[in-house]
């Protein structure tokens, strides 16, 4: 019999893909140039040329059996060493191979982290606005997601609301900085305050509260933004990383999980990960991609394009009368909608061929997400439409 659980998920429409689907349909009707699709977070800059070159070299130099064969469930030892050394060099940490587990993107890393430190029925805390996939990630592990409402003026953490939600059933707190959908980066004072509060609650509850730090946008940080390495501020941190955005490889499905060596049972957390892989049927990651990212570990795509788009769009939006917390990274922006109903607002925008995702999809109504990972010329041509949209609301 077909699974009721997954059939039910079919009816919980994925609004982002629904909007992107509409964008494709509209592009066929009126031409792609006339649709301003800001719905999807797909990198718009290619991978650095060295990535393809590295892959070609690996295929030429290594044996087919080695590159295409099964690898160790944890990931290749030399790749895990390279990841650890790179993090140590860049962030003053002391990771070793035993703290690194190679994953299928950040999604795979979060799925493993959530299972490694919880029991079904535990609570996981996340902060609005949050990545919508946190719902299926947590539900799939039998966990209850508790969402801390946003502090809409700063989009930093709403500590009063967090304190109300924390309780002994909370096994982990999930943070995402730089953030999808807002682009906001948690500042050093915010992260320190969070760390202090979690330390206090761990003592009070008598068990660890892990901080799962989902960081696929770590490399997309804008000039001068205070952006701490979160694991350096709180020992019980599990960092989830992806090469999807930093080197524009979302389709290659490669990332890693790094457990702070100072975390409780750090090595054991990594040791259980391949057992989790067995239960979810996601054993190992592609050898070719592991070898490639290890060779390109500190490279990035031409990420400055995103900051350029952000500067132009943010300046114009503020001039047009929108309110928005200025992003510190990513390729997203999360302005307030010009009417309380963010879905109705996005519908108004649609009439001008501007496609956005309503904030309610991220647990933060009254806002909308602009994914500005599009060519610069598209941003420039969209600006008059933003102005028209603002005028519709008397701005
Ligand atoms: C906040 C956040 N976490 C996790 C992911 C999943 O990343 P990946 O595609 O690398 O698995 C994404 C992807 O967009 C994301 O925005």
């Amino acid at each position: 019999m077909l699974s009721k659980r997954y059939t039910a998920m079919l009816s919980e429409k994925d609004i982002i893909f629904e909007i992107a689907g509409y964008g494709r349909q509209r592009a066929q009707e009126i031409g792609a140039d006339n649709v301003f699709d800001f719905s999807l977070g797909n990198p718009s800059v290619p991978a650095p040329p060295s990535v393809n070159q590295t892959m070609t070299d690996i295929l030429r130099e290594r044996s087919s059996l080695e590159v295409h064969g099964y690898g160790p469930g944890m990931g290749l030892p030399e790749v895990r060493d390279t990841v650890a050394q790179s993090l140590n060099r860049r962030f003053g940490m002391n990771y070793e191979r035993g703290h690194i587990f190679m994953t299928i993107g950040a999604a795979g890393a979060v799925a493993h982290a959530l299972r490694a430190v919880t029991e079904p029925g535990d609570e996981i805390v996340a902060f609005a606005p949050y990545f919508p996939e946190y719902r299926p990630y947590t539900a799939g592990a039998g966990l209850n997601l508790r969402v801390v409402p946003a502090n809409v003026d700063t989009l930093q953490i709403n500590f009063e609301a967090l304190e109300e939600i924390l309780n002994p059933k909370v096994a982990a707190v999930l943070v995402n900085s730089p953030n999808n959908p807002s682009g906001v980066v948690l500042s050093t004072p915010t992260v320190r305050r969070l760390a202090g509060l979690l330390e206090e609650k761990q003592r009070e509850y008598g068990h660890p509260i892990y901080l799962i730090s989902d960081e696929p946008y770590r490399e997309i940080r804008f000039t001068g933004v205070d952006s701490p390495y979160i694991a350096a501020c709180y020992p019980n941190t599990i960092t989830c990383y992806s090469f999807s955005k930093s080197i524009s490889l979302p389709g290659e499905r490669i990332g890693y999980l790094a457990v702070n060596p100072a975390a409780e049972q750090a090595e054991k957390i990594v040791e259980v990960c391949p057992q989790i892989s067995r239960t979810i049927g996601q054993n190992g990651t592609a050898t070719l991609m592991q070898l490639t990212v290890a060779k390109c570990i500190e490279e990035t795509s031409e990420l400055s394009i995103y900051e350029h788009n952000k500067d132009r769009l943010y300046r114009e939006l503020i001039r047009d009368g929108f309110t928005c917390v200025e992003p510190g990274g990513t390729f997203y922006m999360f302005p307030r909608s010009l009417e309380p109903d963010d879905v109705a607002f996005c519908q108004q925008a649609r009439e001008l061929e501007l496609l956005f995702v309503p904030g309610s999809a991220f647990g933060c109504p009254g806002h909308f997400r602009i994914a500005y990972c599009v060519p610069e010329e598209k941003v420039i041509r969209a600006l008059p439409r933003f102005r028209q949209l603002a005028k519709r609301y008397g701005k």
Side-chain angles (χ1 to χ4, degrees):
M1 202 169 68
L2 185 64
S3 155
K4 288 196 188 73
R5 175 175 170 186
Y6 296 109
T7 312
M9 283 175 79
L10 285 175
S11 59
E12 297 159 12
K13 265 192 310 186
D14 182 336
I15 186 163
I16 302 178
F17 283 94
E18 188 271 318
I19 297 167
Y22 171 81
R24 279 193 300 277
Q25 177 205 319
R26 207 62 195 128
Q28 282 189 344
E29 289 164 6
I30 61 170
D33 276 357
N34 301 314
V35 183
F36 298 88
D37 185 351
F38 293 100
S39 65
L40 271 187
N42 229 347
S44 57
V45 291
S50 55
V51 167
N52 282 9
Q53 188 56 54
T54 305
M55 287 170 80
T56 313
D57 292 347
I58 293 167
L59 287 171
R60 200 182 49 244
E61 289 161 12
R62 302 232 182 178
S63 85
S64 172
L65 284 178
E66 187 189 0
V67 177
H68 300 303
Y70 284 123
M74 294 272 191
L76 294 166
E78 69 268 30
V79 173
R80 295 163 65 210
D81 284 343
T82 304
V83 169
Q85 286 154 13
S86 167
L87 291 173
N88 296 346
R89 196 166 43 243
R90 296 170 64 204
F91 303 115
M93 301 294 290
N94 56 349
Y95 293 105
E96 291 178 11
R97 177 190 301 174
H99 304 115
I100 310 295
F101 173 73
M102 299 307 292
T103 61
I104 297 177
V110 174
H112 280 80
L114 284 171
R115 285 169 174 79
V117 296
T118 60
E119 296 296 337
D122 282 350
E123 292 187 5
I124 302 296
V125 173
F127 301 91
Y130 65 90
F131 181 49
E133 295 303 285
Y134 291 164
R135 289 232 167 256
Y137 293 171
T138 46
L143 302 165
N144 299 318
L145 184 67
R146 304 285 311 273
V147 177
V148 178
N151 175 346
V152 291
D153 293 331
T154 61
L155 297 179
Q156 296 285 322
I157 289 175
N158 178 341
F159 280 98
E160 289 68 38
L162 171 61
E163 287 206 45
E164 273 177 33
I165 280 184
L166 285 174
N167 74 81
K169 282 198 237 148
V170 173
V173 171
L174 189 45
V175 286
N176 165 224
S177 171
N179 178 264
N180 174 10
S182 71
V184 168
V185 176
L186 294 180
S187 68
T188 303
T190 301
V191 175
R192 290 226 173 101
R193 187 167 169 197
L194 175 65
L197 178 62
L198 295 183
E199 301 274 11
E200 184 191 314
K201 293 293 173 186
Q202 291 188 135
R203 279 193 297 275
E204 185 183 327
Y205 304 151
H207 65 72
I209 303 175
Y210 287 94
L211 187 57
I212 300 176
S213 182
D214 181 22
E215 304 183 6
Y217 303 93
R218 185 169 66 215
E219 266 55 75
I220 316 181
R221 285 164 302 161
F222 302 149
T223 317
V225 172
D226 165 31
S227 145
Y229 183 64
I230 291 178
C233 305
Y234 183 70
N236 279 337
T237 301
I238 305 175
T239 303
C240 299
Y241 187 74
S242 164
F243 295 90
S244 297
K245 323 286 172 170
S246 60
I247 48 173
S248 309
L249 297 181
E252 303 298 353
R253 315 303 305 128
I254 182 84
Y256 60 79
L257 170 159
V259 184
N260 187 335
E264 277 188 50
Q265 303 225 285
E267 285 84 2
K268 208 74 189 167
I269 292 173
V270 174
E271 220 180 299
V272 300
C273 281
Q275 305 313 314
I276 295 168
S277 307
R278 291 175 65 202
T279 64
I280 58 178
Q282 286 203 353
N283 299 48
T285 54
T287 302
L288 176 60
M289 288 323 302
Q290 289 186 57
L291 293 169
T292 302
V293 296
K295 286 259 184 240
C296 303
I297 193 85
E298 286 179 22
E299 295 206 30
T300 61
S301 303
E302 189 45 68
L303 302 176
S304 61
I305 289 168
Y306 300 132
E307 181 162 6
H308 203 67
N309 278 354
K310 183 274 290 180
D311 284 344
R312 191 182 287 267
L313 199 51
Y314 178 76
R315 198 176 49 233
E316 295 290 330
L317 285 183
I318 298 300
R319 201 173 290 163
D320 291 345
F322 286 90
T323 306
C324 183
V325 179
E326 185 167 1
T330 74
F331 36 59
Y332 306 110
M333 200 176 285
F334 201 56
R336 293 209 196 165
S337 50
L338 296 177
E339 62 177 298
D341 183 342
D342 49 314
V343 177
F345 174 79
C346 289
Q347 202 53 43
Q348 283 286 326
R350 217 181 246 213
E351 288 177 14
L352 296 168
E353 311 299 348
L354 288 169
L355 305 186
F356 309 131
V357 181
S360 37
F362 308 96
C364 197
H367 293 75
F368 63 105
R369 185 185 79 172
I370 308 172
Y372 51 85
C373 39
V374 297
E376 187 188 2
E377 64 82 24
K378 195 104 190 185
V379 171
I380 295 170
R381 286 195 301 110
L383 295 177
R385 308 221 173 198
F386 278 95
R387 220 160 297 135
Q388 265 177 282
L389 182 58
K391 281 208 178 114
R392 283 193 175 192
Y393 290 91
K395 295 283 179 187

